[in-house]
Amino acid sequence: AFYELERAAVFRRAWLNVGRVEQLPRNGSFFSKAIPGQRTSIIVARGPDGEIRAFHNVCRHRGNRLVWEGTPGSDTSGNARQLVCKYHGWRYGLDGACTYVHQEREFFDLRKAELGLAPVHCDTWAGFVFVNLDREPRWTLREYLGPMVGALEGYPFHRMTERYSFRAENDSNWKVFSDAFQEYYHVPPLHTHQLGPTPESQNPEYEFEGAHYQIDGPHRMVSTSGTYKHLWPKEHLYPAEALTRSGSTGPWDAPDLGETPGVNPSHIDRWGIDNFQVFPNLEILIYERGWFVTYRYWPTSHNTHVYEGDLHFVPATSARERLAHEYAALTFKEYALQDCGTLDGTQMGLEQGVFDRFPLNDQEILVRHFHKTVGDWVDAYARAGAGGTTR
């Protein structure tokens, strides 16, 4: 029951990230995106005028899924002047207008001008494409993001166009996985071997924590110091790290990005990572070594969700740089597998219903804030519904 309320109260009212502008490199580019748990697929397209728009991926004739490749449930992308329904051949421009009806004369009083695709509210920020499924969003995208996340708008995300993508279906509630990346309290016990073969990291009492926490509206962020492995003695490195000059915190040879506004807000001397968590389901992790990662969590039931992870680098200019990127991607996957490995156990434990409350330490303040925010949104929606004003 709470999951159904979340679907309506959170995911149909918040701004949701569905991609980046690099997926729409020229006029006529488009991609489709299924939004798991919302029983919704959208089309995002850059029209002939250069404007980026979004539409429900549904033909106006008989409701067929309009854009797909292979199977109707799959996402696709490409470049086109028109979008053509595979069922009866109706066509639509990238502005959503209906441009062609097969055997139009056989329809009575057909008004093509009234049969365009159903628009979805769409906007871009710092190259991220967002949509809002509400009939009338309560905030503009920039109002919604607020000053903390908004401070990143000038960060050079657009330079990092080499991308590595991962997707997995997980048997846990979406918030369980999100919680795993809102604190670094779990790092020494769970990621011992990724920290490196140093005397400190092999100590079971080794401590690792975030250096800065910040809350802004429904959004959160945490900063942590980096491992700075590029400065370590060779004997404290794994051979593959020394060979590739790369590892879990990314390639050691950082590109010159110039100005990087919005990051390291507390000016940590040995700053390593900023994790900006955009409510409800987007995380942007920016690394000191000049690359970034995004996570997205899409709930599909009360105890399942789809996880998406994307790594973004400034394009490699040599084989060595490409190898460093690929090794970072491999170590990222190992980290993710370790985190995923605990989630089924967490979900199973929670569903036993033995405990109804859990202690949280100072490093878990963002976990507390996240769950309170979800609860507040659901409560507000339920109260509005009781008054007959739901949307």
Side-chain angles (χ1 to χ4, degrees):
F2 192 84
Y3 162 71
E4 290 297 333
L5 282 171
E6 281 182 335
R7 289 181 62 243
V10 176
F11 282 84
R12 296 200 72 86
R13 299 197 306 158
W15 284 94
L16 306 173
N17 171 240
V18 294
R20 286 209 35 96
V21 295
E22 289 84 12
Q23 297 170 255
L24 304 168
R26 61 184 66 86
N27 293 354
S29 297
F30 71 90
F31 65 86
S32 65
K33 173 65 180 175
I35 301 181
Q38 290 298 312
R39 308 182 187 108
T40 296
S41 174
I42 62 169
I43 303 166
V44 182
R46 188 186 291 273
D49 58 358
E51 188 76 15
I52 294 176
R53 301 177 178 87
F55 307 94
H56 285 282
N57 190 6
V58 181
C59 179
R60 285 298 302 269
H61 174 221
R62 292 260 294 277
N64 192 52
R65 182 66 57 87
L66 179 61
V67 172
W68 50 276
E69 199 63 49
T71 63
S74 62
D75 290 332
T76 188
S77 61
N79 206 72
R81 294 182 179 180
Q82 298 184 94
L83 305 174
V84 183
C85 181
K86 293 175 172 60
Y87 197 2
H88 296 100
W90 282 40
R91 303 175 192 167
Y92 303 87
L94 297 184
D95 61 356
C98 180
T99 59
Y100 172 81
V101 173
H102 185 58
Q103 295 176 235
E104 182 177 346
R105 64 184 179 277
E106 297 192 15
F107 290 85
F108 175 76
D109 195 26
L110 188 75
R111 302 176 184 180
K112 282 192 299 190
E114 299 174 5
L115 294 173
L117 299 177
V120 175
H121 296 282
C122 180
D123 201 355
T124 62
W125 166 84
F128 292 87
V129 180
F130 286 82
V131 299
N132 191 302
L133 300 176
D134 206 353
R135 289 205 299 265
E136 198 57 52
R138 289 150 175 74
W139 313 271
T140 67
L141 175 58
R142 280 164 176 75
E143 288 172 343
Y144 179 73
L145 295 176
M148 183 185 73
V149 178
L152 293 172
E153 187 155 17
Y155 187 83
F157 296 110
H158 63 282
R159 292 189 53 191
M160 303 172 203
T161 56
E162 183 182 321
R163 185 175 69 174
Y164 299 79
S165 298
F166 301 88
R167 182 184 187 276
E169 297 179 6
N170 193 270
D171 291 333
S172 68
N173 185 275
W174 68 285
K175 297 187 295 297
V176 171
F177 205 163
S178 184
D179 285 346
F181 293 107
Q182 299 193 78
E183 45 84 7
Y184 293 98
Y185 179 53
H186 72 277
V187 170
L190 186 60
H191 301 305
T192 301
H193 296 294
Q194 271 62 44
L195 291 174
T198 65
E200 293 84 3
S201 65
Q202 301 307 305
N203 180 352
E205 301 300 320
Y206 179 67
E207 296 183 359
F208 188 89
E209 60 185 75
H212 172 79
Y213 300 87
Q214 193 169 336
I215 292 169
D216 180 22
H219 315 300
R220 306 162 303 287
M221 72 88 63
V222 54
S223 298
T224 183
S225 59
T227 58
Y228 280 67
K229 287 191 174 183
H230 58 291
L231 302 178
W232 285 15
K234 191 172 182 179
E235 60 268 22
H236 289 164
L237 298 170
Y238 291 119
E241 292 177 321
L243 178 66
T244 62
R245 296 184 56 80
S246 184
S248 57
T249 55
W252 299 348
D253 300 315
D256 181 5
L257 297 178
E259 295 294 321
T260 55
V263 299
N264 191 16
S266 60
H267 306 292
I268 303 168
D269 288 338
R270 287 175 62 90
W271 170 69
I273 309 170
D274 279 346
N275 183 346
F276 287 84
Q277 298 153 26
V278 182
F279 188 79
N281 69 327
L282 170 67
E283 297 191 25
I284 306 172
L285 286 82
I286 301 175
Y287 288 75
E288 177 265 342
R289 295 281 85 193
W291 63 297
F292 77 97
V293 173
T294 58
Y295 301 143
R296 292 183 296 197
Y297 314 95
W298 300 103
T300 51
S301 75
H302 75 280
N303 59 5
T304 61
H305 74 276
V306 170
Y307 162 73
E308 297 171 340
D310 295 279
L311 291 73
H312 304 256
F313 301 94
V314 174
T317 58
S318 67
R320 169 173 284 282
E321 288 182 4
R322 180 61 181 263
L323 184 61
H325 296 173
E326 293 188 0
Y327 187 70
L330 286 173
T331 56
F332 163 84
K333 188 175 181 180
E334 179 64 23
Y335 259 111
L337 286 171
Q338 289 177 8
D339 286 309
C340 287
T342 68
L343 302 184
D344 290 5
T346 302
Q347 187 66 38
M348 291 175 185
L350 292 172
E351 289 189 3
Q352 285 186 229
V354 178
F355 304 112
D356 62 0
R357 62 186 61 208
F358 302 90
L360 299 178
N361 68 16
D362 287 348
Q363 291 192 56
E364 296 165 304
I365 183 64
L366 302 189
V367 176
R368 184 190 303 273
H369 176 262
F370 176 48
H371 285 267
K372 183 179 188 304
T373 300
V374 172
D376 288 347
W377 278 52
V378 169
D379 288 346
Y381 178 82
R383 287 195 302 270
T389 58
T390 57
R391 288 192 288 193

